[in-house]
Amino acid sequence: MSNTWKIILLALGGFLIGTSELIIAGILDVIASDLHVSVALAGQLVTIFALVIAIGAPILVAVTSRMERKKLLIYTLLVFILGNLISFVSTGIELMMVSRVVLAASMGVYLVVSLAIASNLATPENKEGRSPPSSWDSVPLSCSGCRLAGW
């Protein structure tokens, strides 16, 4: 597989993970209704995600810095799947908060590691802004996709 395709796959992973981060803001009223809580309390799901990304991601990246990058990406995607499964089975705001913590932790590590890998995969002539999409390019795409879908 060419490096271009590897970078595109990393960006696709970032898109999927980024969508899980951003979609929740558009459906807070639905979540609040389903969990029988106020929209303000459901909004704390966004806050907890942001706090874990801001505080937890740098710590987790430092702790896992000696791990092989490919394995670490696989582990973060498995943790991401676990976070989504927790969200799927949650019947209360508490379990949903746990889900958001797990999702944020996996997203923070995935984005940092995938950007580092993509940077190493890009050829020297493509490192000046002409390389294929990076993982961060997927965040605006996630926002646009959610908006187009009416979320």
Side-chain angles (χ1 to χ4, degrees):
M1 176 182 306
S2 75
N3 286 350
T4 300
W5 281 107
K6 291 176 185 175
I7 294 171
I8 289 171
L9 286 174
L10 289 170
L12 178 62
F15 173 79
L16 295 173
I17 289 177
T19 301
S20 78
E21 172 199 5
L22 300 170
I23 196 168
I24 200 159
I27 59 171
L28 281 176
D29 55 335
V30 175
I31 292 170
S33 174
D34 284 353
L35 298 179
H36 308 291
V37 297
S38 68
V39 174
L41 182 56
Q44 296 305 307
L45 295 170
V46 175
T47 304
I48 193 73
F49 195 97
L51 286 172
V52 171
I53 285 271
I55 298 168
I59 295 168
L60 288 171
V61 169
V63 168
T64 59
S65 65
R66 295 191 189 270
M67 288 183 70
E68 181 190 346
R69 297 290 142 199
K70 286 182 191 177
K71 285 183 182 177
L72 184 55
L73 277 182
I74 291 169
Y75 293 149
T76 58
L77 290 174
L78 291 173
V79 171
F80 175 73
I81 291 168
L82 174 67
N84 279 298
L85 289 173
I86 294 169
S87 177
F88 178 73
V89 300
S90 66
T91 56
I93 192 73
E94 298 84 4
L95 197 54
M96 195 67 167
M97 287 279 186
V98 171
S99 164
R100 296 298 289 169
V101 167
V102 171
L103 288 169
S106 67
M107 179 185 179
V109 175
Y110 180 88
L111 288 181
V112 170
V113 173
S114 67
L115 285 172
I117 291 173
S119 173
N120 289 334
L121 289 174
T123 59
E125 61 270 4
N126 284 340
K127 286 188 178 183
E128 297 176 4
R130 295 186 308 266
S131 64
S134 72
S135 297
W136 281 115
D137 294 337
S138 63
V139 173
L141 289 173
S142 298
C143 291
S144 300
C146 290
R147 188 169 254 320
L148 289 174
W151 293 327

